[in-house]
Amino acid sequence: MAGAFVGALAILTLSMVFSWPVAGGKQSPADVAAENLAAAFEAPAGSCLNWKPDGSDMKPVGCDQPHLFEVTGDVDISAEYNASAPSPTEEAWREIAKQKCTTGAATYLGGKLDPFGKYSVGALKPSDEQWRDGDRKLRCGLQRAAPSGNTLVATTGSAKNQDQSDVYDPGTCLALVNKNVGDPIRCAEEHAYEITAVVDLAQIFKDAAPDEAQQQAAMLEQCTKLTNDYSGGLDLASKKLLLTWDTRKPESWEAGSHHAVCKVGAPLPDNTGLAPITGSIKDAGPAAQSSAPATPSSAASPPPSSGG
């Protein structure tokens, strides 16, 4: 539901604009915003929506363009909330969206929604003004939340045609927040991990779903080679860095999520989290060195836990 607040903010910000009539002749920016929002309100399943970081200018865009929300359907909750009912709390809205939108989202994806994948179920709720006017329609959709859950990550292409693995492209760095993983950030800033490769496990395991041990062995081999190529042969241990990777859970594999990432980080010696890294390992210089104390680890090691 990370996007529910963003969506509600956009609707609240522009709802008064939405009611303005569109005059003839040259349109003002407010007129254009009103038309965009009207189209977003009525966007059918399969439509994609985008908006600015401040929640303004919500509008439909082609799904082949970067977008923050893909509509999977509408849900009317007027049976549970009559005309005199107060607007639900934010916590209640999250539960309503979970109960009302999840099944439809899975159906929209052909019955396969990876519970550990990059897509989460979200909803755009009526603003307080719309609620008072009797709007009880919830716009359900799919979105990609950043690791923090506080922001959304734009995606390109319909979710129907995507491998749902929660992966980022090589060269992406993820922020360090309280010794843990945060949102994508510039590699020049302190970060927790740098993604060095994406492995398609379906190309390795073509006949049957691999178990955890098989995935670990395959990722060890692939990540060692691919990360060495990515970094230009950097000795990770000399920089106090550790190669790790994700694997896919059975539920993810069944949903068609077969990609996993190789990544480089710097676990703290006491295993309480991650140390900050500054600079890309592609630079292979002092700037890429972790500030963590040296640890007696090899250049390649399995991750502490499996990914989705």
Side-chain angles (χ1 to χ4, degrees):
M1 282 297 295
F5 173 76
V6 177
L9 176 63
I11 292 174
L12 177 61
T13 303
L14 298 178
S15 59
M16 294 185 70
V17 175
F18 172 63
S19 65
W20 292 355
V22 177
K26 186 176 180 180
Q27 292 180 302
S28 69
D31 293 334
V32 174
E35 286 192 346
N36 287 340
L37 185 60
F41 271 27
E42 302 303 326
S47 302
C48 292
L49 309 178
N50 201 32
W51 52 83
K52 293 181 179 179
D54 64 359
S56 67
D57 195 29
M58 177 184 287
K59 60 185 176 182
V61 297
C63 291
D64 58 345
Q65 301 179 43
H67 56 272
L68 296 174
F69 196 82
E70 183 167 347
V71 181
T72 59
D74 294 334
V75 175
D76 191 317
I77 59 172
S78 57
E80 294 92 339
Y81 295 88
N82 60 33
S84 62
S87 179
T89 64
E90 288 300 320
E91 183 178 355
W93 271 122
R94 286 191 288 270
E95 186 61 28
I96 291 169
K98 179 180 178 180
Q99 292 180 357
K100 300 292 187 178
C101 295
T102 301
T103 300
T107 300
Y108 177 82
L109 293 173
K112 295 184 177 181
L113 175 62
D114 183 353
F116 307 104
K118 65 182 178 182
Y119 294 113
S120 58
V121 176
L124 304 178
K125 67 182 181 66
S127 68
D128 290 341
E129 181 179 354
Q130 291 169 317
W131 183 270
R132 288 193 296 270
D133 288 341
D135 187 349
R136 298 293 186 269
K137 187 165 65 173
L138 204 64
R139 286 81 179 175
C140 300
L142 293 164
Q143 60 202 12
R144 183 177 191 183
S148 68
N150 296 323
T151 59
L152 297 182
V153 177
T155 59
T156 303
S158 172
K160 286 184 175 182
N161 305 317
Q162 299 283 334
D163 181 300
Q164 297 178 41
S165 304
D166 190 10
V167 300
Y168 290 95
D169 293 335
T172 301
C173 288
L174 300 175
L176 180 68
V177 180
N178 297 325
K179 301 182 184 181
N180 213 326
V181 181
D183 298 346
I185 194 173
R186 293 189 311 117
C187 291
E189 302 179 54
E190 286 190 347
H191 55 270
Y193 282 124
E194 179 174 356
I195 308 301
T196 60
V198 176
V199 177
D200 184 356
L201 290 166
Q203 295 300 312
I204 301 172
F205 302 99
K206 298 181 179 180
D207 298 327
D211 60 25
E212 179 68 15
Q214 290 174 314
Q215 292 187 60
Q216 290 285 358
M219 291 299 287
L220 170 60
E221 178 182 358
Q222 292 293 315
C223 290
T224 300
K225 176 184 182 301
L226 294 172
T227 300
N228 186 68
D229 294 342
Y230 175 88
S231 67
L234 178 66
D235 182 355
L236 297 179
S238 71
K239 300 296 184 182
K240 298 177 254 185
L241 299 170
L242 187 70
L243 173 62
T244 186
W245 49 80
D246 294 337
T247 56
R248 298 276 76 89
K249 297 181 183 294
E251 299 95 323
S252 298
W253 193 272
E254 176 63 25
S257 298
H258 301 150
H259 290 81
V261 297
C262 310
K263 53 192 177 182
V264 170
L268 292 169
D270 59 3
N271 293 320
T272 59
L274 297 165
I277 306 168
T278 304
S280 171
I281 63 171
K282 283 187 172 183
D283 299 332
Q289 184 168 336
S290 163
S291 60
T295 57
S297 59
S298 62
S301 176
S305 61
S306 298

